[in-house]
């Protein structure tokens, strides 16, 4: 398979913070994830879910299990059965409690009930299939890890599940709408976010073809800058901290790379 540069919402969020998240942004995380991800120690870190990621994956899997068997939503012991399928008893107490609550809440308010679901991921599939896109003379792969798509009145509804206090990022909705415009051309689509812990459902997001074009141009710019950074790093690995500048501060407390990052000491010292 021919190698192609890539773009994704994940890369965009690593590259530039969402509005209001500027203080929490650290470009060095992009460096660890994308430039040094094959180093043994970093690969080890990347393999392990942190607590929010673990809860997110198990919650997604829980929703998936509720919809594998339609009778499940009405069974009094459904949460127990799904918890066993997820092997929840092998997780930490915090993860068990929160996922158990998520499953209970979902059974009380199963938002996908009676929806015509055309795509629902388990949450552990890894990388989605890339979508090849040509922008001028630039060919790239777009990756969009879409949790769920259902149809409603002939409109595709892209739904992204959230857990915890994660804010909704409009950019994610736009990237997913762009992906769907290639996967299901000619079909109108909207996107929304649903927090499985708080029950908060965002307003639907839609985009005109002009807006989607602008999103495509933006992610191509990011893909190019990112490839440029990777090339600079490969030529001069000692310049890691200049190419991917650290932003030590409160964000280090929850950073998965703090054990590998020499700059995290500035916080704990
Ligand atoms: S530990 Fe701090 S400085 Fe280092 S990558 Fe994480 S957030 Fe950035």
């Amino acid at each position: 398979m021919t190698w192609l540069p890539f773009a994704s919402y994940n890369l965009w969020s690593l590259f530039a913070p969402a509005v209001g998240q500027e203080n929490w942004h650290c470009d060095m995380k992009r460096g660890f994830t994308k430039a040094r991800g094959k180093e043994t120690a970093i690969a080890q870190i990347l393999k392990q879910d942190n607590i929010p990621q673990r809860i997110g994956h198990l919650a997604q899997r829980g929703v998936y299990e509720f919809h594998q068997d339609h009778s499940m939503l009405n069974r009094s012991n459904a949460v127990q059965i799904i918890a066993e399928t997820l092997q929840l008893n092998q997780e930490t107490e915090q993860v068990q409690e929160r996922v158990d609550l998520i499953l209970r809440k979902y059974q009380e308010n199963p938002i996908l009930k009676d929806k015509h679901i055309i795509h629902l991921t388990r949450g552990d599939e890894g990388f989605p299939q890339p979508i090849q896109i040509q922008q001028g003379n630039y060919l790239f792969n777009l990756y969009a890890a879409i949790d769920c798509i259902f149809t409603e009145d002939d409109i595709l509804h892209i739904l992204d599940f959230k857990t915890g206090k994660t804010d909704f990022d409009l950019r994610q909705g736009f990237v997913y709408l762009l992906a769907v415009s290639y996967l299901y051309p000619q079909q109108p689509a909207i996107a929304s976010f649903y927090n499985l812990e708080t029950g908060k459902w965002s307003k639907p997001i839609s985009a005109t073809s002009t807006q989607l074009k602008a999103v495509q141009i933006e992610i191509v710019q990011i893909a190019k800058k990112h490839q440029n950074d990777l090339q600079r790093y490969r030529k001069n690995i000692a310049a890691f901290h200049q190419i991917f500048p650290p932003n030590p501060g409160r964000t280090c407390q929850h950073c998965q790379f703090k054990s590998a990052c020499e700059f995290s000491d500035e916080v704990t010292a």
Side-chain angles (χ1 to χ4, degrees):
M1 207 198 294
T2 320
W3 179 88
L4 287 176
F6 75 97
S8 64
Y9 162 68
N10 176 258
L11 180 62
W12 194 351
S13 65
L14 285 170
F15 206 93
V19 175
Q21 296 296 307
E22 293 79 4
N23 290 341
W24 295 95
H25 187 75
C26 176
D27 206 38
M28 191 166 270
K29 289 186 195 174
R30 178 169 62 98
F32 278 120
T33 311
K34 306 291 184 193
R36 293 178 55 184
K38 293 209 171 95
E39 288 176 23
T40 312
I42 309 300
Q44 218 33 52
I45 291 172
L46 287 170
K47 256 203 309 199
Q48 289 159 6
D49 278 348
N50 59 29
I51 288 178
Q53 287 167 336
R54 190 78 195 130
I55 291 169
H57 286 149
L58 289 166
Q60 170 80 33
R61 175 81 193 278
V63 172
Y64 173 87
E65 293 298 335
F66 269 118
H67 291 279
Q68 288 317 291
D69 172 357
H70 290 304
S71 67
M72 192 60 93
L73 285 167
N74 300 317
R75 289 174 76 162
S76 58
N77 60 347
V79 170
Q80 192 189 338
I81 293 170
I82 294 175
E84 280 166 20
T85 307
L86 302 184
Q87 298 183 306
L88 212 50
N89 60 358
Q90 294 185 17
E91 303 293 335
T92 63
E93 206 174 314
Q94 187 188 358
V95 171
Q96 284 187 42
E97 277 175 13
R98 280 179 58 189
V99 175
D100 183 78
L101 202 56
I102 286 168
L103 296 176
R104 284 176 201 288
K105 280 193 164 187
Y106 190 78
Q107 190 174 22
E108 272 168 29
N109 182 24
I111 60 163
L112 292 176
K113 190 180 177 192
D114 302 327
K115 297 278 192 276
H116 181 230
I117 301 169
I118 59 173
H119 170 87
L120 180 60
T121 56
R122 283 163 48 111
D124 58 1
E125 291 89 347
F127 280 110
Q129 280 296 316
I131 304 163
Q132 254 184 38
I133 299 180
Q134 182 89 41
Q135 163 79 36
N137 58 5
Y138 192 75
L139 185 64
F140 70 101
N141 278 332
L142 173 65
Y143 289 91
I146 294 173
D147 291 340
C148 174
I149 304 176
F150 61 88
T151 55
E152 214 170 28
D153 303 327
D154 287 333
I155 294 176
L156 296 173
H157 194 139
I158 307 160
L159 184 61
D160 191 72
F161 292 113
K162 298 287 179 204
T163 50
K165 294 182 181 147
T166 331
D167 280 330
F168 306 142
D169 185 347
L170 274 179
R171 299 176 303 174
Q172 186 175 14
F174 286 134
V175 171
Y176 288 2
L177 285 167
L178 177 66
V180 162
S181 74
Y182 283 94
L183 294 172
Y184 305 92
Q186 315 302 330
Q187 274 200 258
I190 56 173
S192 69
F193 303 98
Y194 181 75
N195 189 309
L196 290 161
E197 288 190 273
T198 63
K200 189 175 164 198
W201 201 335
S202 76
K203 286 189 183 143
I205 303 158
S206 58
T208 62
S209 55
T210 310
Q211 285 172 314
L212 291 183
K213 193 121 207 110
V215 169
Q216 185 167 307
I217 290 168
E218 178 73 26
I219 59 172
V220 162
Q221 291 308 321
I222 288 164
K224 285 180 178 172
K225 284 185 201 156
H226 178 63
Q227 287 309 318
N228 187 38
D229 287 346
L230 291 182
Q231 277 170 12
R232 285 167 60 213
Y233 172 67
R234 281 179 201 129
K235 279 188 196 148
N236 183 9
I237 58 172
F240 178 67
H241 64 288
Q242 285 151 352
I243 300 166
F244 305 101
N247 180 21
R250 277 190 305 159
T251 187
C252 297
Q253 288 166 20
H254 305 288
C255 176
Q256 64 190 131
F257 302 111
K258 65 183 172 190
S259 61
C261 177
E262 58 181 302
F263 297 93
S264 67
D265 288 342
E266 293 181 26
V267 180
T268 51

